[in-house]
Amino acid sequence: GFRAYVDSSENFVVECAYSNAIDEAFAHLTKTYIYDKLGKVTFNAIYCADMSYSPFSSGESNGFSVEFGAKVAKIPAYLFHNCNVTSVTFANNCICTEIGERAFYGCNDMVSFVVPDYVTTIGSYAFYSCYNLTSLTVGSSITTINSYAFQYCYDLTGIWVDPNNQNYSSDTKGVLFNKDKTTVVEAPRKLSGA
């Protein structure tokens, strides 16, 4: 089933289990109600199908934080596409293994992001056009970073990779390489220490 509600602290909470109808469920919530109340989104979905648009996308909203619960297996494509996300956290025991395509595309209020150790895949365009993103930390389990994941992140000063990662590495200036540093994967526009 699916459930979306505003809790007593005025946080917007989304809960669904194996639902393929998240787009339709959000269609029933008026933007006025969401954007007048939105301060934090807690996403506790076990599995939600990829989306074709973000139900949270609007130039009208104030910035809001996002928390992914322990049962989230994947951040769906487009979930926060062009949204005013300010920060993202994950529950300590979260099982998320994938950040979907365009999941945080255009989230210009976000300045840093830590990809937890249990995430293995970053989808295409996942952080595309996050203009104010300055720092990105990649965990030890990332095996795949798809095309254009960090394109047009103008303020990005460094992509920092856990030294235990078997597929990627970074140098002291925050340039993202393959593990043996023979191929540049992404050179941030504003290199640290440059």
Side-chain angles (χ1 to χ4, degrees):
F2 176 88
R3 190 165 84 123
Y5 59 94
V6 176
D7 70 12
S8 60
S9 299
E10 296 194 351
N11 297 318
F12 188 71
V13 180
V14 177
E15 296 176 349
C16 64
Y18 305 102
S19 171
N20 290 327
I22 195 166
D23 283 331
E24 292 81 12
F26 276 109
H28 297 292
L29 301 168
T30 64
K31 284 189 175 187
T32 303
Y33 183 70
I34 291 174
Y35 293 113
D36 284 350
K37 302 282 185 192
L38 199 55
K40 179 180 180 181
V41 173
T42 302
F43 194 78
N44 293 319
I46 295 172
Y47 174 78
C48 282
D50 286 334
M51 302 179 186
S52 57
Y53 73 98
S54 174
F56 301 101
S57 181
S58 172
E60 303 164 19
S61 70
N62 294 322
F64 59 91
S65 62
V66 175
E67 178 182 3
F68 290 100
K71 295 180 180 180
V72 175
K74 175 187 177 183
I75 300 172
Y78 289 85
L79 182 60
F80 293 105
H81 184 270
N82 282 329
C83 292
N84 296 341
V85 174
T86 57
S87 64
V88 176
T89 56
F90 294 82
N92 289 336
N93 51 352
C94 188
I95 61 169
C96 182
T97 59
E98 182 178 350
I99 298 173
E101 178 183 341
R102 300 176 191 253
F104 297 101
Y105 180 114
C107 290
N108 292 322
D109 292 344
M110 189 165 43
V111 295
S112 66
F113 194 97
V114 176
V115 179
D117 285 336
Y118 37 78
V119 174
T120 60
T121 303
I122 298 175
S124 298
Y125 304 93
F127 297 95
Y128 188 95
S129 293
C130 291
Y131 298 139
N132 296 314
L133 186 65
T134 60
S135 176
L136 191 109
T137 303
V138 175
S140 61
S141 299
I142 288 288
T143 59
T144 305
I145 298 174
N146 286 299
S147 58
Y148 308 111
F150 313 115
Q151 184 99 21
Y152 299 116
C153 293
Y154 293 123
D155 284 348
L156 193 59
T157 59
I159 300 169
W160 311 105
V161 180
D162 185 299
N164 295 319
N165 188 295
Q166 298 299 306
N167 298 285
Y168 296 97
S169 61
S170 56
D171 65 7
T172 58
K173 294 189 179 202
V175 175
L176 178 65
F177 291 93
N178 63 341
K179 183 61 178 179
D180 58 4
K181 291 189 170 92
T182 58
T183 304
V184 173
V185 177
E186 185 74 37
R189 300 225 178 199
K190 292 186 176 183
L191 292 174
S192 294

